[in-house]
Amino acid sequence: MENSRAGLEVCMLGGFSVRYGGRPISFSKGGRFKSMSLLQLLLIHKKSGIAKDELMRCLYDWEAVSDRNNSLNSLIYRLKRQLIAAGLPEGEYVCLQNGICRWCADMDTWVDFIAMEEMIEEAGQRSLQEQEALLEKACGLYRGEFLPESSGEIWAAAENIRLKGLYTGAVHQLCALWKKQQEYQKMLELYKMAAELYPYEEWQVYEIDCLMELQRYEKAYSLYRETVKSYSDELGIPPSPRMQEQLQRMGSRLTTKENSLSKVRELLREDEIRGGYFCPYPSFIDTYRFVCRIAERSGQSMFLMLCTLRYTDGAPEKKDDAGTHLRRAMEKSLRRGDVYTKYSSSQYLILLSGIHQEDCGMVYERIRKSFCQTYRNPGCQLEYEAEEIMEISEFYSGNTEKKA
């Protein structure tokens, strides 16, 4: 977007702002939200207009308004006055003809999401080189959710979904062009922007792919770990199968400089001496599979325990707090030889070695008591299940993986 447009420029992506003649304008606070909703609806339907009945439904459907028609007419008049008071020239701005309301300002009116749409549409009719330029500009205009302050309005939410879909498609289309040219750095930067806007929609998968193509394996692994931690902490979910596949690919390419065994041991050594060993879910999977092999060969007794937080009516809304206290209780209660991980927002998995079935209940009691000492709420209860890790063939049949 240029900095000095002669007419009106309106941004709705990532927030709402209006500029006239290159300078920002503000509106009076009195009745501002409803007036701005009217302005936004008129600009959304700038090309074809919007039926007056539809306009009234969008503006007043959730309100007890006795005379919607009169209320809309008053709102149109108020919007005109607010525009002029904000520094715009005298004019009609809103026209009504044959039951259709239109934005009819006598000036050039530029709207960011409309410009984005037009660029994406035009790109489909141009040469590959022109497509690249248009799509890059279109993606640059998308600065975030459509009208985030109005996200609770049905009309805004519907438009947000549509525009988000357009943006996602444009990103993939542009990166497909760049991939043919092996422009992985450009792809990486675009995917990074998308990940910043939508951090929980796996854009990081594409970032990692680009980093690997650029042979920046350590950076790719670092991003992988950050993403897994974020998904676990914020959403309580493990990484997707595709991300787990990426981990395997990275593992085969990560290399370090040659070192002596003593130096390698120093690098591998755990910095902090604690109780149970916590690891991300993907690492837990590898540990579990290795332990299955040890159990088969040595005959050592090993158990898999699942601890689950159950919430009853009246439990706190911030359930993550309970999960945080449970993790601390496990760190204190488990032995250094025990391994645990966060499986979901309300569940933890534990690998227990060298114990018997009756010992599992004792481990659970230690965890429960430690948890209850710091988290006192009758609406939250801790439960557990424990099963012995039997033969490694059980894992290969798929049964153990389902339990984990």
Side-chain angles (χ1 to χ4, degrees), residues 126-143:
R126 299 287 183 171
S127 65
L128 291 178
Q129 186 175 359
E130 291 173 317
Q131 279 184 37
E132 182 181 331
L134 286 166
L135 290 171
E136 191 170 1
K137 287 181 180 178
C139 291
L141 288 174
Y142 193 90
R143 293 179 173 85

Side-chain angles (χ1 to χ4, degrees), residues 227-289:
T227 304
V228 168
K229 185 178 186 303
S230 177
Y231 274 51
S232 175
D233 292 347
E234 299 298 328
L235 303 181
I237 60 175
S240 66
R242 182 171 177 184
M243 290 198 74
Q244 293 182 44
E245 289 173 11
Q246 285 182 320
L247 177 61
Q248 299 297 326
R249 289 174 56 206
M250 283 185 284
S252 65
R253 300 186 185 185
L254 279 168
T255 58
T256 58
K257 63 182 181 180
E258 186 174 308
N259 264 317
S260 65
L261 179 58
S262 59
K263 182 63 176 178
V264 172
R265 286 184 61 189
E266 182 181 340
L267 293 171
L268 293 176
R269 186 177 60 198
E270 187 177 1
D271 292 331
E272 184 180 352
I273 304 299
R274 299 175 297 178
Y277 181 77
F278 178 84
C279 62
Y281 180 66
S283 299
F284 186 89
I285 293 174
D286 290 334
T287 303
Y288 175 79
R289 293 173 181 176

